[in-house]
Amino acid sequence: MNYMPIVRLASDRVNIPLFADDGPNQRLFTPGEVVTTQQGFMRGHGTYMEDDAIKSSVAGVMVQVNKLITVKALKGRYVGEIGDVIVARVTEVQEKRWKVDTNSRLDSVLLLSSVNLPGGELRRRGVEDEKQMRKYLQEGDLISAEVQNVHSDGVLSLHTRSLKYGKLSQGILVKVFPSLIQRRKTHFHNLPCGASIILGNNGFIWISPIMNSEGEGSGGGFTQNLDDVVTKEDRKTIARLRNCILALAHCKIMLYDTSILYAYEESLKYETPELLNPECMADVAFLTQHRLRSLEV
């Protein structure tokens, strides 16, 4: 069977609109543009003072908290904060630590003393633990972790001392801009559609089937369950969720459990591959934004 590729002309291209909130602080500021000339405001990240005016140093939207004005960049590397939930990939095993890619400017660090030992043992890490570091985590492994500390040079120190953190098993990794991840109380969700999702503050999103929680923690967060069979229905659900997230991210809609679930429900009228078409992406994003705004009324 010969596959005929679809060629789209530039004249037929769909210009997908950005469904941003219509608030006064949601307009886009460009570098060098005056944010405000009023006195009494303090400048925050993404701004600088010039000619008695606060100007933007990045392309983004203004965020005002009382008298503090910051400009949040729409695109850029992840800037970590203590307590952030992140999804990351191990890049190197070093002495008593792992180097981890967290989508930030510099590689992050996961210390051997900051992980749970297999079996949940509570003791000091010795030479034998250092020799077995690759049995715990090796290059290429995906993990979920929490930011424990931010050093002065911007390097993030991580930890996985909770049973909900650790090595990730079977699923799909989706990468979006970190500014699109909405900060919530929890970033681990079991969606009613039949999939589990981890919304990393660093822009890495992990989608996986919902696994049984019985027996978890016995491996200290290092078990993967690669022998478990993922059903075809679960694979379809995960693929649809991935395409919905890409559609929302393409239209610059904030990503959290409610927006993703609404997008999934609105996408059911399309086949999963159709969600990659620009027209379908715009339609799903528009209907999702409409439902989200109806909640605010």
Side-chain angles (χ1 to χ4, degrees):
M1 181 178 178
N2 294 329
Y3 173 73
M4 297 296 293
I6 300 176
V7 179
R8 302 176 64 88
L9 300 177
S11 58
D12 298 332
R13 186 182 64 187
V14 177
N15 292 321
I16 299 180
L18 303 182
F19 302 108
D21 295 333
D22 298 329
N25 297 335
Q26 292 299 320
R27 67 174 291 261
L28 186 67
F29 289 91
T30 56
E33 186 177 356
V34 176
V35 178
T36 181
T37 57
Q38 300 180 18
Q39 302 298 320
F41 287 101
M42 297 183 295
R43 66 177 186 87
H45 294 293
T47 62
Y48 65 96
M49 290 291 298
E50 186 178 79
D51 299 332
D52 295 330
I54 297 179
K55 296 184 178 181
S56 173
S57 61
V58 296
V61 295
M62 183 185 74
V63 179
Q64 179 178 344
V65 180
N66 296 328
K67 293 293 184 179
L68 178 66
I69 291 181
T70 60
V71 177
K72 185 178 181 181
L74 292 179
K75 297 182 180 180
R77 288 287 187 171
Y78 167 62
V79 180
E81 297 181 12
I82 296 177
D84 282 356
V85 174
I86 57 100
V87 175
R89 187 182 295 276
V90 177
T91 59
E92 188 178 344
V93 181
Q94 297 181 335
E95 183 181 359
K96 295 184 180 180
R97 69 186 61 201
W98 293 271
K99 286 182 68 175
V100 182
D101 175 22
T102 55
N103 195 28
S104 56
R105 293 184 299 105
L106 302 170
D107 281 338
S108 303
V109 174
L110 176 63
L111 297 177
L112 178 61
S113 59
S114 299
V115 301
N116 282 331
L117 293 175
E121 293 183 69
L122 298 176
R123 58 175 174 79
R124 292 177 65 104
R125 277 63 168 172
V127 178
E128 291 300 321
D129 294 314
E130 291 185 47
K131 293 180 180 179
Q132 297 180 5
M133 283 181 62
R134 274 197 169 82
K135 292 185 179 180
Y136 303 153
L137 295 171
Q138 59 184 349
E139 292 87 346
D141 284 346
L142 282 167
I143 62 170
S144 62
E146 182 177 317
V147 178
Q148 183 180 23
N149 192 17
V150 181
H151 299 286
S152 58
D153 56 356
V155 174
L156 305 179
S157 181
L158 311 177
H159 81 87
T160 62
R161 289 200 198 95
S162 175
L163 294 180
K164 62 182 179 180
Y165 303 129
K167 187 187 296 187
L168 299 175
S169 182
Q170 303 183 77
I172 291 180
L173 178 68
V174 185
K175 298 180 181 181
V176 300
F177 291 121
S179 59
L180 295 177
I181 304 295
Q182 184 163 323
R183 295 182 180 274
R184 311 279 282 188
K185 189 174 182 180
T186 176
H187 287 255
F188 292 79
H189 303 284
N190 288 331
L191 300 179
C193 58
S196 177
I197 190 169
I198 304 175
L199 298 171
N201 287 110
N202 59 334
F204 288 1
I205 301 174
W206 180 253
I207 312 172
S208 62
I210 297 179
M211 296 296 182
N212 295 328
S213 59
E214 297 180 2
E216 285 189 359
S218 59
F222 299 115
T223 56
Q224 279 196 310
N225 300 324
L226 295 180
D227 295 331
D228 292 345
V229 178
V230 181
T231 63
K232 187 176 181 180
E233 290 301 318
D234 286 341
R235 293 175 184 269
K236 288 182 177 180
T237 300
I238 291 173
R240 181 177 292 274
L241 277 172
R242 170 194 177 272
N243 292 349
C244 290
I245 290 174
L246 292 179
L248 295 180
H250 201 286
C251 296
K252 302 298 184 290
I253 294 179
M254 297 298 290
L255 298 172
Y256 53 102
D257 55 334
T258 305
S259 64
I260 294 174
L261 183 59
Y262 283 175
Y264 180 88
E265 294 172 353
E266 297 296 341
S267 71
L268 293 177
K269 59 184 178 182
Y270 298 110
E271 294 293 330
T272 302
E274 293 179 341
L275 294 174
L276 298 177
N277 296 332
E279 297 91 345
C280 300
M281 295 172 69
D283 181 48
V284 170
F286 175 78
L287 294 175
T288 301
Q289 185 73 346
H290 178 72
R291 290 185 62 179
L292 293 174
R293 286 179 175 173
S294 65
L295 291 178
E296 300 172 359
V297 177

